[in-house]
Amino acid sequence: MADSSKELEENIEVSTFTSENSFIRRTIKNIVSGTFSGIAVCLVGHPFDTLKVRLQTQPVDRPVYKGLLDCFVKTMKWEGIGGLYKGVGSPIVGQMFFRATLFTSYYQITAFFAGKDRQGQRLSSPEYFLCGMFTGAVAALVEGPIDLFKSKMQIQIIRAKSGEPVMYRNVFHAAYVIVKTHGIRGAYQGLPATWLRNIPANSAFFGFYELSRTMAIPEGGTVFDVSPMALLAAGGTGGFLYWFLTYPTDVVKSSMQADDSVVEKRRYKSIRDCIKQLYHNEGGWKRFYRGFTPCLMRSVPANATLFFVVETMRKYLPL
């Protein structure tokens, strides 16, 4: 009886160690793959993002750019190729941390939904959409400040051309000044609007990606047998629908983040007030699609690259 009890305790210890080891290995793999995917997506997508933010946030009464092509030409003329990567310091560092957080959160959430009974098995499509929603809520806590500092730098050229003083030397200086002056709350300017975008957008992002990947599984194979081209297509699909279905909420988010850092001086008092003002004062529903073209142009290659890097590294990392 004593021997049986001892054997049971040893089995529990082995099981616990294996479980903890598996959790640690899975977490490390998610962090590493997410970090490298963040670098890749930033290098591919940042120029498009710069054009998008500038078109979204320029003043309606005194626009600096006539459209996408004009924005690109003037950026190259005034700032050179570096202008397309304005504020890239925050994203390339932030994206490494953000994507590591994003994918670690996502895969831990999917593991939670699977439970012990379905470990290693595919979830249903609705469950993947739901996992994406929870991931979006968590990711906003990291993505919000990154987007804020990046946006503050990207719109400085608009301030300069409008005769306003340039406030920040670089993206890290922007982060330092904002946090020092306004505290941690200053770094989370526009957080509710970020949630408004992130929760449905990430539901579409991961949900449609997983749906596309499931449809590409060859007969008799597994998700790991999906071809590289099918994986790229699934990532591009998820990224495209992330923006196509939720773009107006990103305009609201960008507008609120580009607003004054001083609460009393802000133009928009709430999400509802922002939507109202954008609609009535800046061109109706078309205002919510300013910068839409460069965003969609970015969405497919950037997110195809993102998911390809993540899944390839998860597959081959010796962990």
Side-chain angles (χ1 to χ4, degrees):
M1 185 73 176
D3 290 340
S4 298
S5 177
K6 183 177 180 181
E7 183 179 346
L8 178 60
E9 289 178 3
E10 289 176 350
N11 288 337
I12 291 175
E13 288 179 3
V14 170
S15 176
T16 302
F17 172 78
T18 303
S19 176
E20 290 177 351
N21 190 42
S22 176
F23 173 80
I24 293 171
R25 290 174 61 188
R26 186 170 68 241
T27 300
I28 293 174
K29 181 177 289 190
N30 292 336
I31 290 172
V32 173
S33 59
T35 298
F36 279 92
S37 72
I39 297 173
V41 76
C42 191
L43 294 176
V44 173
H46 192 79
F48 296 100
D49 187 69
T50 297
L51 300 178
K52 171 183 76 75
V53 171
R54 288 179 173 178
L55 288 170
Q56 282 181 340
T57 57
Q58 66 175 337
V60 174
D61 56 339
R62 51 185 193 285
V64 177
Y65 313 108
K66 298 177 183 177
L68 174 61
L69 181 59
D70 185 56
C71 185
F72 174 76
V73 171
K74 286 180 176 176
T75 296
M76 294 296 292
K77 179 181 178 181
W78 293 337
E79 304 168 88
I81 189 69
L84 294 173
Y85 284 92
K86 188 69 69 177
V88 75
S90 171
I92 206 164
V93 173
Q95 283 285 346
M96 293 166 63
F97 179 61
F98 165 58
R99 296 297 174 180
T101 302
L102 179 74
F103 283 100
T104 298
S105 299
Y106 175 66
Y107 287 116
Q108 296 297 356
I109 289 170
T110 56
F112 173 79
F113 269 75
K116 294 182 179 180
D117 297 334
R118 293 189 293 167
Q119 287 295 328
Q121 299 180 27
R122 299 284 289 166
L123 302 179
S124 66
S125 292
E127 286 176 318
Y128 280 123
F129 280 93
L130 195 57
C131 288
M133 289 177 61
F134 285 110
T135 302
V138 173
L141 299 176
V142 176
E143 188 176 14
I146 294 171
D147 274 357
L148 177 72
F149 305 143
K150 169 181 64 69
S151 297
K152 295 293 188 185
M153 282 302 301
Q154 288 172 325
I155 64 171
Q156 282 213 122
I157 187 65
I158 298 175
R159 293 176 58 90
K161 294 300 177 180
S162 301
E164 299 180 34
V166 173
M167 300 177 63
Y168 311 115
R169 295 191 298 270
N170 53 55
V171 72
F172 300 105
H173 182 240
Y176 172 77
V177 171
I178 290 170
V179 174
K180 181 180 179 181
T181 307
H182 307 285
I184 192 66
R185 292 184 64 181
Y188 282 99
Q189 178 180 334
L191 179 61
T194 304
W195 272 323
L196 178 69
R197 182 200 67 177
N198 267 34
I199 292 174
N202 278 281
S203 177
F205 186 53
F206 287 107
F208 284 111
Y209 164 70
E210 294 290 2
L211 179 61
S212 300
R213 198 160 64 126
T214 299
M215 293 173 63
I217 296 175
E219 185 176 354
T222 69
V223 72
F224 297 107
D225 299 317
V226 172
S227 70
M229 287 304 297
L231 185 59
L232 286 166
T237 298
F240 179 84
L241 291 172
Y242 175 110
W243 292 108
F244 184 79
L245 297 176
T246 62
Y247 187 80
T249 61
D250 185 67
V251 174
V252 174
K253 178 201 73 76
S254 294
S255 298
M256 296 190 73
Q257 288 187 327
D259 207 350
D260 204 298
S261 295
V262 179
V263 176
E264 292 76 17
K265 295 182 180 180
R266 286 180 190 169
R267 178 180 177 185
Y268 310 115
K269 306 305 179 184
S270 64
I271 292 175
R272 181 178 179 181
D273 181 55
C274 182
I275 294 172
K276 184 178 179 180
Q277 288 198 49
L278 291 177
Y279 182 82
H280 290 291
N281 302 333
E282 300 189 20
W285 66 268
K286 292 182 179 180
R287 176 64 180 87
F288 296 96
Y289 286 91
R290 187 185 297 172
F292 191 48
T293 302
C295 182
L296 291 187
M297 289 173 62
R298 171 190 180 276
S299 66
V300 174
N303 290 290
T305 302
L306 172 72
F307 277 111
F308 181 80
V309 171
V310 166
E311 296 299 347
T312 301
M313 294 197 71
R314 280 171 52 81
K315 183 176 180 179
Y316 293 108
L317 274 176
L319 291 171

